Amino acid sequence: MSKKQKNVLWRIIVSAVLIVCLTVLGKFITLNKYIWLVLNLIPYFIIGYDILKKAVKGIFKGQVFDENFLMAVATVGAIGLKSFDEATAVMLFYQIGEWFQSYAVGKSRKNITELMDIRPDYANVEDEDGNLEQVDPDEVEIGTIIVVKPGEKVAIDGIVVEGSSTLNTAALTGESLPREVSENDEVISGCINMTGLLKIKTTKEFGESTVSKILDLVENASSQKASVENFITRFARYYTPAVVFLALAIAVLPPLLVDGAVFSDWLYRALTFLVISCPCALVISVPLGFFGGIGAASRSGILVKGSNYLEALAATEIAVFDKTGTLTKGCF
């Protein structure tokens, strides 16, 4: 669990305890209305200050109609109607939902990171005295001779100029059986040297090497969106402003057009409508579902490099593979 997740969890617990205490206190003690307001604002701001901050920032940036704005308007309106416990409860339940979302995403990201633990930390380069020096792979130029010891990762793509060994390429190609290499053979970065010492002449810079390109694909997997994700994004762009204006109409029109309609009653209904119409669950659930699917696949050693591919897999009926090692451990 990250530091931010722990912080939010503590805020949820503290505000929930304070709400319960204030509810019990209100049944036995009658306090001055201003003191009661201050006491109720404490758990509200503990749980909701970041939502209010994001709503204000969104207004100044011109991105007004989002879930933060809806939550802020609805809860501030509830406070104005003296429904303090409801205002805090709405913020509390929203933050609980956000915390579960953050936890699920973090867990999936961790699984993906563990699966893609192929980035080399260093490359061994010989200095003028023949001693090995560990340098950052980004600093190694094309044509440099790097030394890869048994158990180390090949840092950069290149050609073997001295030595022979077996390479574990499972993380890159899915082949579970080691690959034999010797002089003049090409090797790709991210492989693990299993037996002999290899001297490799680099043919690419680290930024252009195989491992770098694979990691870039994984890190940018979120840009490969499924069609349903793109639809939800477009839908939310029009849905949220429509909800805000409809809530405004609910609050204003009945008191103006209907005899005996009380403004405070219709304002309360408008705020209720605003909360239940908040699209955050819809907007979050679709991409979170895909991200959770990618994370679940990674726990089984399967890397899906975008939700559009996951969507395509859902409609797949037959899969044909050209390598036995892709699906087995080499033990028939």
Side-chain angles (χ1 to χ4, degrees):
M1 194 185 299
S2 68
K3 188 177 179 181
K4 184 179 179 181
Q5 288 171 343
K6 288 179 181 177
N7 177 264
V8 174
L9 185 59
W10 272 112
R11 284 167 53 204
I12 289 170
I13 294 169
V14 170
S15 60
V17 170
L18 287 175
I19 290 173
V20 173
C21 291
L22 287 170
T23 303
V24 174
L25 187 67
K27 291 185 181 297
F28 296 100
I29 301 174
T30 302
L31 296 172
N32 178 280
K33 63 179 181 179
Y34 297 109
I35 296 176
W36 187 244
L37 171 63
V38 172
L39 288 175
N40 278 279
L41 285 178
I42 292 171
Y44 174 77
F45 281 114
I46 287 174
I47 195 63
Y49 76 87
D50 53 339
I51 304 297
L52 299 173
K53 186 178 177 181
K54 288 175 186 175
V56 172
K57 280 185 177 180
I59 292 169
F60 283 112
K61 289 180 181 178
Q63 300 170 348
V64 179
F65 300 110
D66 61 8
E67 67 269 21
N68 298 307
F69 176 77
L70 295 183
M71 297 300 297
V73 170
T75 54
V76 169
I79 289 171
L81 294 172
K82 298 181 181 179
S83 299
F84 306 120
D85 52 346
E86 292 185 25
T88 308
V90 167
M91 280 290 190
L92 181 65
F93 290 130
Y94 177 76
Q95 289 283 33
I96 290 171
E98 288 286 293
W99 185 85
F100 277 112
Q101 178 214 348
S102 174
Y103 181 78
V105 168
K107 196 170 181 181
S108 294
R109 198 179 298 279
K110 183 183 176 184
N111 290 331
I112 294 168
T113 303
E114 288 173 355
L115 179 63
M116 290 306 300
D117 186 22
I118 58 175
R119 190 189 192 282
D121 300 316
Y122 59 88
N124 295 316
V125 179
E126 285 186 341
D127 59 19
E128 294 176 355
D129 299 324
N131 298 317
L132 292 181
E133 182 183 358
Q134 292 184 354
V135 299
D136 192 309
D138 286 311
E139 297 175 3
V140 179
E141 298 178 354
I142 295 174
T144 303
I145 304 296
I146 62 172
V147 179
V148 184
K149 301 175 186 175
E152 292 183 335
K153 295 170 188 170
V154 177
I156 304 169
D157 295 10
I159 297 173
V160 178
V161 293
E162 187 180 322
S164 61
S165 182
T166 54
L167 298 179
N168 182 348
T169 63
L172 299 174
T173 65
E175 291 282 8
S176 57
L177 295 177
R179 174 191 160 202
E180 300 285 342
V181 292
S182 55
E183 286 186 33
N184 300 320
D185 286 341
E186 288 188 10
V187 292
I188 56 177
S189 52
C191 301
I192 299 173
N193 183 19
M194 297 178 68
T195 52
L197 185 78
L198 292 176
K199 289 189 176 182
I200 299 168
K201 184 176 183 180
T202 60
T203 55
K204 294 179 183 177
E205 292 181 344
F206 179 71
E208 294 298 316
S209 63
T210 303
V211 68
S212 241
K213 290 181 177 178
I214 289 174
L215 290 171
D216 184 60
L217 281 171
V218 175
E219 287 163 5
N220 294 298
S222 58
S223 63
Q224 307 293 327
K225 292 187 176 181
S227 57
V228 67
E229 283 187 278
N230 291 323
F231 168 75
I232 288 295
T233 303
R234 292 194 304 271
F235 173 78
R237 198 176 299 147
Y238 299 104
Y239 173 82
T240 310
V243 164
V244 172
F245 289 118
L246 197 55
L248 190 62
I250 291 171
V252 175
L253 293 180
L256 292 176
L257 301 176
V258 180
D259 291 334
V262 181
F263 176 71
S264 60
D265 291 342
W266 284 98
L267 177 60
Y268 188 85
R269 288 167 186 165
L271 294 172
T272 303
F273 171 77
L274 207 56
V275 172
I276 63 174
S277 301
C278 184
C280 54
L282 179 65
V283 174
I284 289 170
S285 62
V286 174
L288 181 60
F290 278 106
F291 198 86
I294 293 171
S298 68
R299 280 201 301 274
S300 301
I302 303 166
L303 180 64
V304 183
K305 296 177 182 175
S307 53
N308 55 336
Y309 304 114
L310 199 64
E311 188 178 46
L313 282 170
T316 302
E317 295 181 359
I318 299 171
V320 180
F321 295 84
D322 66 339
K323 290 182 286 186
T324 306
T326 306
L327 297 177
T328 72
K329 296 180 180 178
C331 303
F332 300 99

